[in-house]
mmCIF file of all heavy atoms in Angstrom:
data_model
loop_
_atom_site.group_PDB
_atom_site.id
_atom_site.type_symbol
_atom_site.label_atom_id
_atom_site.label_comp_id
_atom_site.label_asym_id
_atom_site.label_seq_id
_atom_site.Cartn_x
_atom_site.Cartn_y
_atom_site.Cartn_z
ATOM 1 N N ASP J 80 0.837 -1.194 0.015
ATOM 2 C CA ASP J 80 -0.003 -0.005 0.013
ATOM 3 C C ASP J 80 0.873 1.231 0.007
ATOM 4 O O ASP J 80 1.663 1.466 0.921
ATOM 5 C CB ASP J 80 -0.905 -0.018 1.225
ATOM 6 C CG ASP J 80 -1.776 1.215 1.321
ATOM 7 O OD1 ASP J 80 -2.239 1.687 0.239
ATOM 8 O OD2 ASP J 80 -1.988 1.751 2.415
ATOM 9 N N LEU J 81 0.751 2.073 -1.036
ATOM 10 C CA LEU J 81 1.595 3.279 -1.124
ATOM 11 C C LEU J 81 1.282 4.267 -0.038
ATOM 12 O O LEU J 81 2.187 4.955 0.484
ATOM 13 C CB LEU J 81 1.414 3.912 -2.529
ATOM 14 C CG LEU J 81 1.895 3.138 -3.743
ATOM 15 C CD1 LEU J 81 1.603 3.898 -5.003
ATOM 16 C CD2 LEU J 81 3.392 2.841 -3.619
ATOM 17 N N GLU J 82 0.006 4.408 0.331
ATOM 18 C CA GLU J 82 -0.372 5.431 1.293
ATOM 19 C C GLU J 82 0.155 5.187 2.709
ATOM 20 O O GLU J 82 0.271 6.075 3.493
ATOM 21 C CB GLU J 82 -1.913 5.588 1.323
ATOM 22 C CG GLU J 82 -2.446 6.150 0.005
ATOM 23 C CD GLU J 82 -3.917 6.441 0.063
ATOM 24 O OE1 GLU J 82 -4.541 6.301 1.152
ATOM 25 O OE2 GLU J 82 -4.507 6.785 -0.966
ATOM 26 N N THR J 83 0.459 3.894 2.987
ATOM 27 C CA THR J 83 1.036 3.581 4.328
ATOM 28 C C THR J 83 2.524 3.187 4.167
ATOM 29 O O THR J 83 2.999 2.335 4.904
ATOM 30 C CB THR J 83 0.238 2.466 4.993
ATOM 31 O OG1 THR J 83 0.206 1.303 4.143
ATOM 32 C CG2 THR J 83 -1.188 2.925 5.276
ATOM 33 N N SER J 84 3.184 3.790 3.224
ATOM 34 C CA SER J 84 4.580 3.464 2.950
ATOM 35 C C SER J 84 5.465 3.718 4.183
ATOM 36 O O SER J 84 5.250 4.686 4.918
ATOM 37 C CB SER J 84 5.102 4.275 1.792
ATOM 38 O OG SER J 84 4.462 3.921 0.569
ATOM 39 N N TYR J 85 6.443 2.882 4.353
ATOM 40 C CA TYR J 85 7.429 3.049 5.418
ATOM 41 C C TYR J 85 8.826 2.900 4.836
ATOM 42 O O TYR J 85 9.018 2.368 3.734
ATOM 43 C CB TYR J 85 7.257 1.980 6.497
ATOM 44 C CG TYR J 85 7.390 0.557 6.016
ATOM 45 C CD1 TYR J 85 8.646 -0.051 5.949
ATOM 46 C CD2 TYR J 85 6.297 -0.169 5.579
ATOM 47 C CE1 TYR J 85 8.800 -1.357 5.469
ATOM 48 C CE2 TYR J 85 6.446 -1.449 5.080
ATOM 49 C CZ TYR J 85 7.698 -2.020 5.039
ATOM 50 O OH TYR J 85 7.849 -3.325 4.558
ATOM 51 N N TYR J 86 9.802 3.480 5.523
ATOM 52 C CA TYR J 86 11.178 3.229 5.154
ATOM 53 C C TYR J 86 11.873 2.469 6.288
ATOM 54 O O TYR J 86 11.428 2.522 7.437
ATOM 55 C CB TYR J 86 11.920 4.520 4.826
ATOM 56 C CG TYR J 86 12.124 5.511 5.928
ATOM 57 C CD1 TYR J 86 13.226 5.452 6.750
ATOM 58 C CD2 TYR J 86 11.217 6.560 6.126
ATOM 59 C CE1 TYR J 86 13.434 6.360 7.800
ATOM 60 C CE2 TYR J 86 11.400 7.475 7.151
ATOM 61 C CZ TYR J 86 12.498 7.390 7.983
ATOM 62 O OH TYR J 86 12.679 8.294 8.990
ATOM 63 N N THR J 87 12.906 1.760 5.938
ATOM 64 C CA THR J 87 13.635 0.961 6.954
ATOM 65 C C THR J 87 14.715 1.860 7.534
ATOM 66 O O THR J 87 15.338 2.678 6.869
ATOM 67 C CB THR J 87 14.277 -0.287 6.324
ATOM 68 O OG1 THR J 87 15.180 0.113 5.295
ATOM 69 C CG2 THR J 87 13.207 -1.202 5.756
ATOM 70 N N ALA J 88 14.952 1.672 8.850
ATOM 71 C CA ALA J 88 15.996 2.465 9.568
ATOM 72 C C ALA J 88 16.784 1.479 10.404
ATOM 73 O O ALA J 88 16.236 0.737 11.194
ATOM 74 C CB ALA J 88 15.318 3.521 10.444
ATOM 75 N N VAL J 89 18.112 1.492 10.220
ATOM 76 C CA VAL J 89 18.967 0.554 10.922
ATOM 77 C C VAL J 89 20.028 1.306 11.728
ATOM 78 O O VAL J 89 20.561 2.308 11.283
ATOM 79 C CB VAL J 89 19.627 -0.461 9.947
ATOM 80 C CG1 VAL J 89 20.495 0.264 8.901
ATOM 81 C CG2 VAL J 89 20.433 -1.535 10.629
ATOM 82 N N GLN J 90 20.271 0.783 12.941
ATOM 83 C CA GLN J 90 21.271 1.353 13.836
ATOM 84 C C GLN J 90 22.076 0.228 14.476
ATOM 85 O O GLN J 90 21.588 -0.906 14.581
ATOM 86 C CB GLN J 90 20.553 2.144 14.948
ATOM 87 C CG GLN J 90 20.450 3.634 14.750
ATOM 88 C CD GLN J 90 19.916 4.303 15.989
ATOM 89 O OE1 GLN J 90 18.894 3.896 16.565
ATOM 90 N NE2 GLN J 90 20.609 5.342 16.449
ATOM 91 N N MET J 91 23.252 0.571 14.952
ATOM 92 C CA MET J 91 24.035 -0.372 15.773
ATOM 93 C C MET J 91 23.518 -0.331 17.207
ATOM 94 O O MET J 91 23.297 0.749 17.763
ATOM 95 C CB MET J 91 25.522 0.012 15.759
ATOM 96 C CG MET J 91 26.229 -0.187 14.456
ATOM 97 S SD MET J 91 26.644 -1.900 14.101
ATOM 98 C CE MET J 91 28.067 -2.122 15.140
ATOM 99 N N ASP J 92 23.322 -1.538 17.778
ATOM 100 C CA ASP J 92 22.952 -1.639 19.186
ATOM 101 C C ASP J 92 23.994 -2.556 19.814
ATOM 102 O O ASP J 92 23.831 -3.790 19.764
ATOM 103 C CB ASP J 92 21.556 -2.233 19.306
ATOM 104 C CG ASP J 92 21.037 -2.210 20.718
ATOM 105 O OD1 ASP J 92 21.778 -1.778 21.609
ATOM 106 O OD2 ASP J 92 19.876 -2.643 20.956
ATOM 107 N N GLY J 93 25.055 -1.990 20.371
ATOM 108 C CA GLY J 93 26.203 -2.800 20.757
ATOM 109 C C GLY J 93 26.851 -3.369 19.525
ATOM 110 O O GLY J 93 27.225 -2.601 18.620
ATOM 111 N N ASP J 94 26.998 -4.684 19.432
ATOM 112 C CA ASP J 94 27.575 -5.310 18.260
ATOM 113 C C ASP J 94 26.478 -5.750 17.272
ATOM 114 O O ASP J 94 26.807 -6.291 16.218
ATOM 115 C CB ASP J 94 28.410 -6.529 18.650
ATOM 116 C CG ASP J 94 29.678 -6.099 19.407
ATOM 117 O OD1 ASP J 94 30.129 -4.969 19.146
ATOM 118 O OD2 ASP J 94 30.170 -6.873 20.213
ATOM 119 N N GLN J 95 25.227 -5.571 17.644
ATOM 120 C CA GLN J 95 24.123 -6.039 16.830
ATOM 121 C C GLN J 95 23.484 -4.887 16.047
ATOM 122 O O GLN J 95 23.644 -3.731 16.385
ATOM 123 C CB GLN J 95 23.058 -6.703 17.698
ATOM 124 C CG GLN J 95 23.565 -7.887 18.505
ATOM 125 C CD GLN J 95 24.129 -8.992 17.624
ATOM 126 O OE1 GLN J 95 23.490 -9.423 16.677
ATOM 127 N NE2 GLN J 95 25.359 -9.451 17.888
ATOM 128 N N LEU J 96 22.737 -5.243 15.025
ATOM 129 C CA LEU J 96 22.000 -4.240 14.241
ATOM 130 C C LEU J 96 20.545 -4.238 14.670
ATOM 131 O O LEU J 96 19.928 -5.300 14.833
ATOM 132 C CB LEU J 96 22.095 -4.549 12.765
ATOM 133 C CG LEU J 96 23.490 -4.440 12.107
ATOM 134 C CD1 LEU J 96 23.464 -4.980 10.700
ATOM 135 C CD2 LEU J 96 23.965 -2.998 12.132
ATOM 136 N N ARG J 97 20.007 -3.077 14.930
ATOM 137 C CA ARG J 97 18.598 -2.931 15.268
ATOM 138 C C ARG J 97 17.879 -2.260 14.100
ATOM 139 O O ARG J 97 18.349 -1.240 13.574
ATOM 140 C CB ARG J 97 18.428 -2.084 16.523
ATOM 141 C CG ARG J 97 17.000 -2.046 17.026
ATOM 142 C CD ARG J 97 16.790 -1.193 18.264
ATOM 143 N NE ARG J 97 16.786 0.227 17.954
ATOM 144 C CZ ARG J 97 17.681 1.107 18.350
ATOM 145 N NH1 ARG J 97 18.673 0.733 19.076
ATOM 146 N NH2 ARG J 97 17.604 2.369 18.020
ATOM 147 N N ILE J 98 16.756 -2.821 13.674
ATOM 148 C CA ILE J 98 16.064 -2.296 12.529
ATOM 149 C C ILE J 98 14.632 -1.921 12.854
ATOM 150 O O ILE J 98 13.953 -2.622 13.617
ATOM 151 C CB ILE J 98 16.125 -3.295 11.349
ATOM 152 C CG1 ILE J 98 15.597 -2.680 10.039
ATOM 153 C CG2 ILE J 98 15.380 -4.548 11.624
ATOM 154 C CD1 ILE J 98 16.554 -2.850 8.920
ATOM 155 N N ASP J 99 14.177 -0.778 12.319
ATOM 156 C CA ASP J 99 12.838 -0.289 12.549
ATOM 157 C C ASP J 99 12.192 0.087 11.203
ATOM 158 O O ASP J 99 12.894 0.329 10.228
ATOM 159 C CB ASP J 99 12.841 0.952 13.453
ATOM 160 C CG ASP J 99 13.381 0.653 14.838
ATOM 161 O OD1 ASP J 99 12.863 -0.229 15.524
ATOM 162 O OD2 ASP J 99 14.387 1.342 15.218
ATOM 163 N N LYS J 100 10.850 0.170 11.263
ATOM 164 C CA LYS J 100 10.115 0.725 10.117
ATOM 165 C C LYS J 100 9.567 2.067 10.527
ATOM 166 O O LYS J 100 9.019 2.211 11.628
ATOM 167 C CB LYS J 100 8.918 -0.184 9.747
ATOM 168 C CG LYS J 100 9.302 -1.581 9.275
ATOM 169 C CD LYS J 100 8.007 -2.364 9.002
ATOM 170 C CE LYS J 100 8.296 -3.789 8.590
ATOM 171 N NZ LYS J 100 7.017 -4.548 8.371
ATOM 172 N N LYS J 101 9.749 3.079 9.673
ATOM 173 C CA LYS J 101 9.285 4.409 9.980
ATOM 174 C C LYS J 101 8.410 4.925 8.858
ATOM 175 O O LYS J 101 8.715 4.718 7.675
ATOM 176 C CB LYS J 101 10.464 5.358 10.224
ATOM 177 C CG LYS J 101 11.330 4.921 11.408
ATOM 178 C CD LYS J 101 12.273 5.963 11.862
ATOM 179 C CE LYS J 101 13.018 5.508 13.136
ATOM 180 N NZ LYS J 101 13.966 6.524 13.621
ATOM 181 N N PRO J 102 7.313 5.608 9.171
ATOM 182 C CA PRO J 102 6.376 6.043 8.118
ATOM 183 C C PRO J 102 6.984 7.121 7.242
ATOM 184 O O PRO J 102 7.670 8.033 7.717
ATOM 185 C CB PRO J 102 5.178 6.572 8.924
ATOM 186 C CG PRO J 102 5.724 6.945 10.261
ATOM 187 C CD PRO J 102 6.835 5.978 10.521
ATOM 188 N N VAL J 103 6.711 7.014 5.941
ATOM 189 C CA VAL J 103 7.094 8.105 5.022
ATOM 190 C C VAL J 103 6.122 9.250 5.185
ATOM 191 O O VAL J 103 4.922 9.043 5.256
ATOM 192 C CB VAL J 103 7.073 7.572 3.562
ATOM 193 C CG1 VAL J 103 7.357 8.741 2.585
ATOM 194 C CG2 VAL J 103 8.044 6.451 3.362
ATOM 195 N N ILE J 104 6.676 10.448 5.312
ATOM 196 C CA ILE J 104 5.837 11.652 5.465
ATOM 197 C C ILE J 104 5.644 12.258 4.059
ATOM 198 O O ILE J 104 6.608 12.652 3.402
ATOM 199 C CB ILE J 104 6.502 12.712 6.385
ATOM 200 C CG1 ILE J 104 6.867 12.046 7.744
ATOM 201 C CG2 ILE J 104 5.592 13.880 6.576
ATOM 202 C CD1 ILE J 104 5.676 11.487 8.504
ATOM 203 N N PHE J 105 4.408 12.316 3.621
ATOM 204 C CA PHE J 105 4.106 12.894 2.301
ATOM 205 C C PHE J 105 3.849 14.374 2.493
ATOM 206 O O PHE J 105 2.712 14.872 2.533
ATOM 207 C CB PHE J 105 2.886 12.188 1.676
ATOM 208 C CG PHE J 105 3.063 10.727 1.491
ATOM 209 C CD1 PHE J 105 2.265 9.809 2.187
ATOM 210 C CD2 PHE J 105 4.051 10.224 0.687
ATOM 211 C CE1 PHE J 105 2.411 8.436 2.023
ATOM 212 C CE2 PHE J 105 4.230 8.855 0.507
ATOM 213 C CZ PHE J 105 3.390 7.955 1.202
ATOM 214 N N SER J 106 4.979 15.152 2.583
ATOM 215 C CA SER J 106 4.852 16.537 2.962
ATOM 216 C C SER J 106 4.386 17.463 1.833
ATOM 217 O O SER J 106 3.897 18.556 2.083
ATOM 218 C CB SER J 106 6.230 17.025 3.451
ATOM 219 O OG SER J 106 7.210 16.849 2.454
ATOM 220 N N MET J 107 4.529 16.999 0.552
ATOM 221 C CA MET J 107 4.161 17.827 -0.572
ATOM 222 C C MET J 107 3.075 17.194 -1.438
ATOM 223 O O MET J 107 2.223 17.927 -1.980
ATOM 224 C CB MET J 107 5.376 18.139 -1.415
ATOM 225 C CG MET J 107 6.363 19.060 -0.749
ATOM 226 S SD MET J 107 7.769 19.471 -1.823
ATOM 227 C CE MET J 107 6.977 20.343 -3.158
ATOM 228 N N VAL J 108 3.130 15.912 -1.632
ATOM 229 C CA VAL J 108 2.193 15.253 -2.511
ATOM 230 C C VAL J 108 1.993 13.828 -2.020
ATOM 231 O O VAL J 108 2.919 13.183 -1.557
ATOM 232 C CB VAL J 108 2.696 15.276 -3.988
ATOM 233 C CG1 VAL J 108 4.026 14.563 -4.155
ATOM 234 C CG2 VAL J 108 1.669 14.718 -4.963
ATOM 235 N N LYS J 109 0.751 13.342 -2.141
ATOM 236 C CA LYS J 109 0.403 12.001 -1.685
ATOM 237 C C LYS J 109 0.279 11.053 -2.898
ATOM 238 O O LYS J 109 0.027 11.517 -4.027
ATOM 239 C CB LYS J 109 -0.928 12.008 -0.905
ATOM 240 C CG LYS J 109 -0.826 12.763 0.406
ATOM 241 C CD LYS J 109 -2.164 12.784 1.129
ATOM 242 C CE LYS J 109 -2.051 13.558 2.428
ATOM 243 N NZ LYS J 109 -3.366 13.623 3.116
ATOM 244 N N PRO J 110 0.428 9.739 -2.688
ATOM 245 C CA PRO J 110 0.258 8.793 -3.777
ATOM 246 C C PRO J 110 -1.071 9.008 -4.491
ATOM 247 O O PRO J 110 -2.094 9.204 -3.842
ATOM 248 C CB PRO J 110 0.336 7.431 -3.087
ATOM 249 C CG PRO J 110 1.159 7.690 -1.878
ATOM 250 C CD PRO J 110 0.818 9.053 -1.422
ATOM 251 N N GLY J 111 -1.014 8.975 -5.818
ATOM 252 C CA GLY J 111 -2.232 9.190 -6.591
ATOM 253 C C GLY J 111 -2.491 10.652 -6.937
ATOM 254 O O GLY J 111 -3.357 10.978 -7.752
ATOM 255 N N GLU J 112 -1.698 11.537 -6.310
ATOM 256 C CA GLU J 112 -1.842 12.990 -6.586
ATOM 257 C C GLU J 112 -0.620 13.458 -7.381
ATOM 258 O O GLU J 112 0.362 12.738 -7.576
ATOM 259 C CB GLU J 112 -1.965 13.769 -5.273
ATOM 260 C CG GLU J 112 -3.165 13.394 -4.426
ATOM 261 C CD GLU J 112 -3.256 14.166 -3.134
ATOM 262 O OE1 GLU J 112 -2.281 14.886 -2.836
ATOM 263 O OE2 GLU J 112 -4.221 14.000 -2.403
ATOM 264 N N THR J 113 -0.679 14.723 -7.822
ATOM 265 C CA THR J 113 0.461 15.301 -8.515
ATOM 266 C C THR J 113 0.484 16.812 -8.195
ATOM 267 O O THR J 113 -0.535 17.399 -7.853
ATOM 268 C CB THR J 113 0.350 15.110 -10.050
ATOM 269 O OG1 THR J 113 1.523 15.685 -10.662
ATOM 270 C CG2 THR J 113 -0.908 15.731 -10.614
ATOM 271 N N ILE J 114 1.672 17.396 -8.268
ATOM 272 C CA ILE J 114 1.786 18.849 -8.104
ATOM 273 C C ILE J 114 1.831 19.547 -9.484
ATOM 274 O O ILE J 114 1.937 20.767 -9.546
ATOM 275 C CB ILE J 114 2.999 19.245 -7.253
ATOM 276 C CG1 ILE J 114 4.317 18.847 -7.948
ATOM 277 C CG2 ILE J 114 2.911 18.702 -5.868
ATOM 278 C CD1 ILE J 114 5.559 19.419 -7.251
#
């Protein structure tokens, strides 16, 4: 679903990698729209 798009974010946590999903902010245009 484009409207609930997320990007992946990875960080080091000690020697391990921690990964999260974060929502894409459509600050100018939303999926299906155009400027």
Side-chain angles (χ1 to χ4, degrees):
D80 179 37
L81 293 178
E82 293 185 6
T83 56
S84 294
Y85 60 86
Y86 65 89
T87 60
V89 61
Q90 263 187 309
M91 290 282 283
D92 187 358
D94 291 333
Q95 301 300 310
L96 294 172
R97 187 181 77 244
I98 189 129
D99 297 303
K100 297 178 183 177
K101 299 194 174 180
V103 175
I104 306 299
F105 301 117
S106 58
M107 291 182 63
V108 60
K109 294 179 180 177
E112 298 178 355
T113 182
I114 62 171

